[in-house]
Amino acid sequence: MNSKMPTIDQQLLEDVIASNSSQYSSAMQTMLEAVRNHLGMDVAFVSRIEDGKRSFDFVDSRIPPPIQPGDSNDAEDSYCQRVIDGRLPELIKDAKEIEETRALPGTESLPIGAHLSVPITLDNGDVYGTFCCFSRQPDPSLTARDLDVLRTFADIAGKHISHKETARRQREASRAEVQDILAQKRLTMVFQPIQDICVREVVSFESLARFETPVRKPPNIWFDQARSAGMAAELELHAVSQALKQACCLPEQCYLSVNLSPETILEADLKTALSVPEPDKLVIEVTEHSTIDDYEKVAAALEPLRAQGVKLAVDDAGAGYASFRHILALAPDIIKLDMSITRDIDSDFRKQALAKSMIAFAEATSCEIIAEGVETGAELRELRALGIQKAQGYLIEKPMPASDLRAKGYN
């Protein structure tokens, strides 16, 4: 190996190996910096070859960079394409000594003296592009061992790029599936009654999405998929729109609950999306599973609706830490006790103790509790004995299409 070259910095190598997909850009820059310093080159870059074009993804340079990330040119005019094709060697000590490189425009314009380039191969065997570096002056001291160092980093880069490309393809596939759901009207709404268990009267309904798709997935998986594809707001608002259109089928005295994620609350025009004649009969449920980075922004987005009478519920309370943060920060009107607490509450004193504390909190803060997932008479009796007034679950009624409400006596 070239003795005048500095050794590869150990910390840089550790940073590269430790980097995960969320640190993709920093990992690539770290690798380029490490290679460029080790080989004593002026510029190092990662290129992508696609549709006859060579594009620069990442660039590291110790001089005013002659190329920038995002630049592109014809692949045929590049060293990269010719290295991939085998027309040029991967290690070039002096570009002016080779007739083919002398004819390439970059040799004079950049200029290029010494050049090292190896293909980046993805996990599926496809060649993505090249991992390259060059100096403006020739370097006769470069050896095959230097090229091996470049290959090692190209292999690591290929792993990082493969992960990113796989994620990109998954996002595209997810987006296409969600778009098909919207275009083909594969989302339908069902309504689950919420009962006042003291007087045994239905007081409200929660609207729930169901998906009629060739590939069967639970609703939460479809919404997670839409979120990963950047279409969460579009899918959620479509579900809300469908629920509001069918609200006329609900008993006049009942209110309707719809589910919205914090992201959609912040992104969407809620005033338009939730425009209803009687806003005091509408409840927005924020689920425990959705994280909130800025509670003040979410509260501010909800405030105009709450001022009109729209109520706020925190869903799945007790299922995790996030729900308690939601409750403390958003001051909801309704706390929905998660089915993980309701299940077997008649025989579990710990769940009873937690429910009692939630009831005391609700009374102190002037909000109400709805128990979710009630499936047995024993659970219902225990909830009633604890002082919980409202509940929903299969024991009371399963979710049903709006067309079945009248047949069940909900009119």
Side-chain angles (χ1 to χ4, degrees), residues 307-368:
Q308 294 176 0
V310 176
K311 294 180 177 64
L312 178 66
V314 168
D315 199 11
D316 302 333
Y321 175 66
S323 62
F324 293 113
R325 293 189 64 196
H326 290 7
I327 291 167
L328 292 173
L330 298 177
D333 305 288
I334 300 168
I335 297 172
K336 301 195 74 174
L337 195 64
D338 186 69
M339 65 175 63
S340 64
I341 307 302
T342 302
R343 189 67 45 78
D344 300 323
I345 194 170
D346 55 294
S347 59
D348 191 325
F349 75 91
R350 293 178 179 83
K351 294 182 178 182
Q352 294 167 16
L354 180 56
K356 287 177 183 178
S357 67
M358 296 296 292
I359 292 167
F361 177 87
E363 291 174 348
T365 56
S366 301
C367 60
E368 64 177 340

Side-chain angles (χ1 to χ4, degrees), residues 101-230:
T101 54
R102 285 200 303 268
L104 292 175
T107 303
E108 291 293 339
S109 62
L110 291 176
I112 296 175
H115 187 279
L116 295 93
S117 177
V118 295
I120 296 174
T121 303
L122 302 182
D123 289 346
N124 63 3
D126 291 345
V127 175
Y128 176 85
T130 56
F131 200 103
C132 304
C133 58
F134 67 86
S135 62
R136 292 176 295 181
Q137 299 298 323
D139 188 348
S141 67
L142 293 171
T143 69
R145 294 185 67 184
D146 296 319
L147 191 60
D148 286 341
V149 170
L150 198 68
R151 289 196 184 99
T152 297
F153 279 95
D155 288 344
I156 299 172
K159 296 295 183 184
H160 281 281
I161 295 170
S162 291
H163 289 313
K164 188 173 179 64
E165 287 294 293
T166 297
R168 179 184 64 81
R169 288 192 294 269
Q170 289 174 343
R171 284 194 301 272
E172 290 178 352
S174 294
R175 188 173 184 84
E177 285 187 313
V178 174
Q179 287 174 334
D180 180 71
I181 286 171
L182 296 172
Q184 301 299 323
K185 299 180 179 179
R186 298 184 184 277
L187 183 151
T188 60
M189 301 304 296
V190 294
F191 300 86
Q192 184 169 36
I194 298 171
Q195 185 185 81
D196 184 323
I197 59 177
C198 295
V199 297
R200 299 185 180 182
E201 290 183 358
V202 171
V203 294
S204 60
F205 291 81
E206 180 182 359
S207 59
L208 300 165
R210 296 293 183 262
F211 295 84
E212 300 296 329
T213 55
V215 178
R216 297 290 180 173
K217 300 178 187 178
N220 64 301
I221 299 300
W222 280 117
F223 282 106
D224 287 344
Q225 186 169 316
R227 187 172 297 108
S228 69

